[in-house]
């Protein structure tokens, strides 16, 4: 893979150190890109790979003093944290989908069912296209416009496809979305409706991703949000962590369980907690991060258990299609985070994830997509294994909406028989179900 650049940006390492703290620029308080492997620094540009070691780049900041009051005065969407993102200060004024500020739901009935003292669900269904992906796309879109790109593009396991197509429509620019051809119908329709270019590709997500990387090298004015503008895109997931801390009353949970596909969401929620603690916005109380995968695509969980630093790619086979990334870009960094914080990564079967979707729906009225089922099922499994503490305050992420993955649960529902519209028919139905209950 080679580093690609938009016109007018440099891909060569800087010889001088990063600049001193500065006034907000077109990327806010972001100061430079830095290699996660060797620390080499680069100008802010459309670069995502280190020219020295091919490591991934990430956004670094020179942050000013940020107060709780200044954040609380912001809008009820991710732009209340604009000063902690690589976006212009006036980002909220440009047409965008205004994601974020989703509910943090106190899940007392679920906690009781699991024997836990204190449990919260961060419910990402309320985002404009019903998953956390609207957050990362909004940040990628803002950066892509600043970088001079003309088209918003992505390879996707489904939710990102919805978010890119919607955000591009709202911004009045073209979208090009590449998906594996076997995605859920709801996710295909939920992308096509926005009118951009949608391309189904024969193969797995990893095949689609490879094609996107090749296209990104060729199409100079296409911003593939999770490829050539990935450093900016990934920062959007920090807003989940910021919101959790703020919604808990400016403090951090003791444990958090996060779904893992590429691993970016998990790594960035941890980064958010570290930034808030470093800025003095929350007490640095320590937290444990747990990663959740489906057994049919569990390369990070496998590496965790084996004590490896390197993640061996797998060929995915699971109904949790949104998490079906066999070669996760952030896999090694997920391992770093969970090991540093004393967490773990574990996997659950498709049957366990379906049971968990039903449990969350029945106890809290939240219909999660398969990724949310994976996350709750991993919580259950790690509680049973004694790796999660039932007494510690815990947050789980429900990253998407069950209405997009209906087939996962459809066959587990009892058949629905229609009755005639009479009291007698209703009474007959009630007594039949009482009989069935006794049987
Ligand atoms: C609903 C949902 N949850 C979680 C994830 C995982 O995100 P990441 O790739 O940042 O690990 C995805 C990725 O597509 C997703 O669609
Ligand atoms: Zn490097």
């Amino acid at each position: 893979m080679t580093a690609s650049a938009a016109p007018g940006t440099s891909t060569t390492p800087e010889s001088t150190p990063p600049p001193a703290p500065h006034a907000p620029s077109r990327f806010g308080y972001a100061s430079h890109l830095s290699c996660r492997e060797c620390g080499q620094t680069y100008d802010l540009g459309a670069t995502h790979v280190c020219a020295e070691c091919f490591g991934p780049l990430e956004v670094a900041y020179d942050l000013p003093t940020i107060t709780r009051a200044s954040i609380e005065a912001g809008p009820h969407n991710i732009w209340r944290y604009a000063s902690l993102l690589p976006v212009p200060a006036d980002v909220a004024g440009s047409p965008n989908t205004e994601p974020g500020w989703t509910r943090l739901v106190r899940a007392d009935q679920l906690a009781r069912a699991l024997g836990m003292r204190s449990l919260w669900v961060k419910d990402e269904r309320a985002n404009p296209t019903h998953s956390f992906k609207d957050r990362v796309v909004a940040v990628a879109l803002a950066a892509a416009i600043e970088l001079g790109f003309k088209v918003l593009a992505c390879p996707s396991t489904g939710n990102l496809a919805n978010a890119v197509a919607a955000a591009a429509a709202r911004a009045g620019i073209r979208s090009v979305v590449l998906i594996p051809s076997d995605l859920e119908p709801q996710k295909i329709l939920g992308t096509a409706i926005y009118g951009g270019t949608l391309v189904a590709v024969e193969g797995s997500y990893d095949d689609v991703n490879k094609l996107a990387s090749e296209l990104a090298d060729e199409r100079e004015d296409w911003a593939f949000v999770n490829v050539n503008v990935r450093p900016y895109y990934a920062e959007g997931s920090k807003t989940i962590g910021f919101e959790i801390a703020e919604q808990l009353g400016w403090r951090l949970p003791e444990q958090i369980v996060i779904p893992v596909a590429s691993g970016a969401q998990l790594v960035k929620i941890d980064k958010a907690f570290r930034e808030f603690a470093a800025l003095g916005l929350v007490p640095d109380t320590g937290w444990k991060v747990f990663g959740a995968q489906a057994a049919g695509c569990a390369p990070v969980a496998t590496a965790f258990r084996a004590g490896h630093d390197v993640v061996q790619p797998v060929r995915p086979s699971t109904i949790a299609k949104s998490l079906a990334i066999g070669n996760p870009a952030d896999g090694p960094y997920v391992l770093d985070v969970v090991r540093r914080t004393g967490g773990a990564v574990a996997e659950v079967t498709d049957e366990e994830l379906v049971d968990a979707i039903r449990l969350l729906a029945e106890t809290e009225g939240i219909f999660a997509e398969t990724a949310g089922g994976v996350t709750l099922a991993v919580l259950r499994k790690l509680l049973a294994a004694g790796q999660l503490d039932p007494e510690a305050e815990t947050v789980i992420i429900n990253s998407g909406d069950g209405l997009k993955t209906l087939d996962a649960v459809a066959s587990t529902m009892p058949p629905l028989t229609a009755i005639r519209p009479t009291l007698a028919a209703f009474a007959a139905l009630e007594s039949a179900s009482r009989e069935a209950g006794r049987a």
Side-chain angles (χ1 to χ4, degrees):
M1 211 185 331
T2 55
S4 57
T9 59
S10 108
T11 58
T12 49
E14 283 179 355
S15 52
T16 47
H22 59 298
S25 71
R26 61 202 185 105
F27 295 105
Y29 293 102
S31 54
H32 60 281
L33 298 174
S34 130
C35 174
R36 285 205 263 186
E37 289 298 319
C38 75
Q40 181 63 258
T41 61
Y42 296 83
D43 288 340
L44 290 167
T47 318
H48 65 111
V49 179
C50 177
E52 300 285 296
C53 77
F54 301 106
L57 303 183
E58 111 172 299
V59 178
Y61 300 83
D62 279 322
L63 291 175
T65 304
I66 294 172
T67 62
R68 292 178 182 178
S70 68
I71 292 174
E72 284 165 351
H76 279 166
N77 57 52
I78 62 168
W79 305 129
R80 68 203 276 108
Y81 309 109
S83 56
L84 293 142
L85 297 169
V87 296
D90 61 356
V91 63
S94 305
N96 74 92
T97 62
E98 300 176 6
W101 205 245
T102 56
R103 291 188 310 157
L104 181 68
V105 180
R106 196 177 166 93
D108 287 341
Q109 298 190 102
L110 178 58
R112 215 167 300 129
L114 297 173
M116 298 185 77
R117 189 179 58 79
S118 176
L119 178 62
W120 302 84
V121 179
K122 181 63 171 163
D123 187 11
E124 289 292 284
R125 293 176 306 158
N127 281 303
T129 69
H130 312 285
S131 86
F132 85 102
K133 291 290 185 183
D134 293 306
R135 299 173 183 271
V136 281
V137 169
V139 175
L141 171 67
I145 290 170
E146 295 302 321
L147 291 165
F149 288 104
K150 300 285 180 267
V151 174
L152 205 63
C154 70
S156 172
T157 59
N159 285 308
L160 183 60
N162 297 177
V164 162
R170 171 89 181 119
I173 65 175
R174 183 181 168 210
S175 66
V176 178
V177 167
L178 310 180
I179 53 168
S181 56
D182 70 346
L183 277 196
E184 297 93 344
Q186 294 85 3
K187 286 182 182 157
I188 295 175
L189 186 58
T191 305
I193 193 70
Y194 299 109
T197 304
L198 175 61
V199 182
V201 178
E202 289 169 11
S204 69
Y205 171 79
D206 299 283
D207 300 320
V208 178
N209 191 31
K210 183 165 169 292
L211 172 60
S213 296
E214 289 163 6
L215 275 168
D217 282 343
E218 208 176 71
R219 309 293 163 107
E220 289 214 331
D221 60 355
W222 290 19
F224 280 85
V225 296
N226 49 345
V227 182
N228 53 346
V229 290
R230 189 172 180 86
Y232 304 88
Y233 155 93
E235 288 288 290
S237 279
K238 290 193 308 188
T239 60
I240 304 173
F242 295 149
E243 286 178 18
I244 290 169
E246 189 178 345
Q247 289 168 326
L248 283 175
W250 297 104
R251 57 189 182 80
L252 301 176
E254 295 173 88
Q255 304 179 132
I256 183 160
V257 191
I258 306 170
V260 171
S262 76
Q265 184 190 144
L266 182 147
V267 169
K268 294 297 177 169
I269 290 176
D270 175 71
K271 186 180 181 188
F273 289 175
R274 283 187 289 127
E275 284 183 352
F276 261 24
L279 286 162
L281 291 167
V282 294
D284 190 353
T285 41
W287 58 91
K288 290 185 178 182
V289 179
F290 296 83
Q293 297 208 291
C297 183
V300 190
T302 304
F304 176 78
R305 237 190 332 271
H308 294 162
D309 295 331
V310 177
V311 174
Q312 276 298 328
V314 300
R315 186 122 196 131
S317 172
T318 168
I319 59 168
K321 293 182 183 182
S322 60
L323 300 184
I325 298 185
N327 187 11
D330 287 84
Y333 306 108
V334 169
L335 294 170
D336 288 348
V337 168
V338 299
R339 286 180 180 144
R340 193 193 78 238
T341 63
V345 190
E347 78 278 45
V348 289
T349 63
D350 286 354
E351 205 180 4
E352 288 170 316
L353 83 84
V354 169
D355 280 353
I357 290 175
R358 294 188 60 177
L359 178 65
L360 181 58
E362 289 168 13
T363 54
E364 299 298 342
I366 295 173
F367 186 10
E369 82 138 78
T370 45
V374 166
T375 307
L376 174 54
V378 163
L379 169 69
R380 238 176 164 177
K381 182 172 169 174
L382 293 181
L383 280 170
Q387 285 179 274
L388 264 146
D389 178 1
E391 293 299 314
E393 182 165 59
T394 304
V395 173
I396 62 173
I397 311 289
N398 172 41
S399 48
D401 195 323
L403 292 174
K404 292 195 206 180
T405 58
L406 292 170
D407 286 352
V409 288
S411 64
T412 72
M413 292 293 123
L416 187 62
T417 22
I419 59 165
R420 289 192 307 112
T422 63
L423 278 175
F426 189 83
L429 181 75
E430 273 190 319
S431 75
S433 46
R434 261 197 307 273
E435 288 297 312
R438 271 201 291 274

